[in-house]
Amino acid sequence: GPLRWRRQQFPPGPCGRFGGGSVVYKNQLVVFGGRSFADFFNDVWILNREAKQWRQIETTGEAPSPRVWSKAVLVQHTMLAYGGAYWAFSQGCHGNDAPGTVWSLSLQDNAWSRLGPPAVPRSVKAPRPRLGPMVAVLGRH
């Protein structure tokens, strides 16, 4: 039959926001960052649909700076986040990203790590920081 949308609310949870990255992990929705009308975020929330509740997780390690329009994918027990910005349209709007930066969040121990060097040598071609990139996982993971 036809697919139908059904609105579900699970308060309390993150404030209303847009442009965050998300993945599904162990049948739970993991949401990173985004923007509300007034603020940018780099927090991580998990929605457990069975328990009908949100919880904000405390993370460790260097986290990505607050951002909107980042993308995320799941690789085994890890959420990889790429892109996004503070939406200031200035040189510093990409926060703590450098060309080629990908952020890794272990969903087993909630630890962030930066993949890629903080500064890429000129001899290395790396994608520049960007808004709203497309990301995908190919092959076995």
Side-chain angles (χ1 to χ4, degrees):
L3 298 176
R4 296 182 187 203
W5 287 98
R6 183 174 48 153
R7 183 180 179 142
Q8 296 182 315
Q9 294 181 325
F10 303 104
C15 67
R17 59 183 70 189
F18 65 92
S22 62
V23 298
V24 174
Y25 175 69
K26 294 186 176 181
N27 206 28
Q28 300 178 103
L29 179 65
V30 180
V31 178
F32 158 68
R35 180 182 182 184
S36 69
F37 177 71
D39 297 305
F40 292 82
F41 302 97
N42 68 342
D43 52 358
V44 179
W45 288 81
I46 295 181
L47 172 63
N48 181 324
R49 285 194 51 213
E50 290 178 14
K52 297 185 178 183
Q53 69 181 32
W54 284 99
R55 69 182 170 92
Q56 184 176 6
I57 63 170
E58 296 295 321
T59 60
T60 59
E62 179 190 8
S65 54
R67 61 193 57 216
V68 65
W69 304 125
S70 63
K71 298 295 186 216
V73 294
L74 181 70
V75 178
Q76 296 179 353
H77 304 285
T78 302
M79 179 177 73
L80 299 176
Y82 177 70
Y86 193 76
W87 201 264
F89 296 108
S90 69
Q91 290 293 337
C93 75
H94 293 286
N96 58 352
D97 278 4
T101 300
V102 174
W103 295 93
S104 170
L105 177 64
S106 166
L107 296 172
Q108 293 180 308
D109 63 9
N110 302 332
W112 280 109
S113 58
R114 177 197 297 257
L115 304 179
V120 177
R122 288 184 186 170
S123 62
V124 174
K125 296 279 187 194
R128 294 174 54 189
R130 56 197 65 207
L131 293 173
M134 296 303 295
V135 294
V137 177
L138 300 175
R140 299 183 80 177
H141 56 84

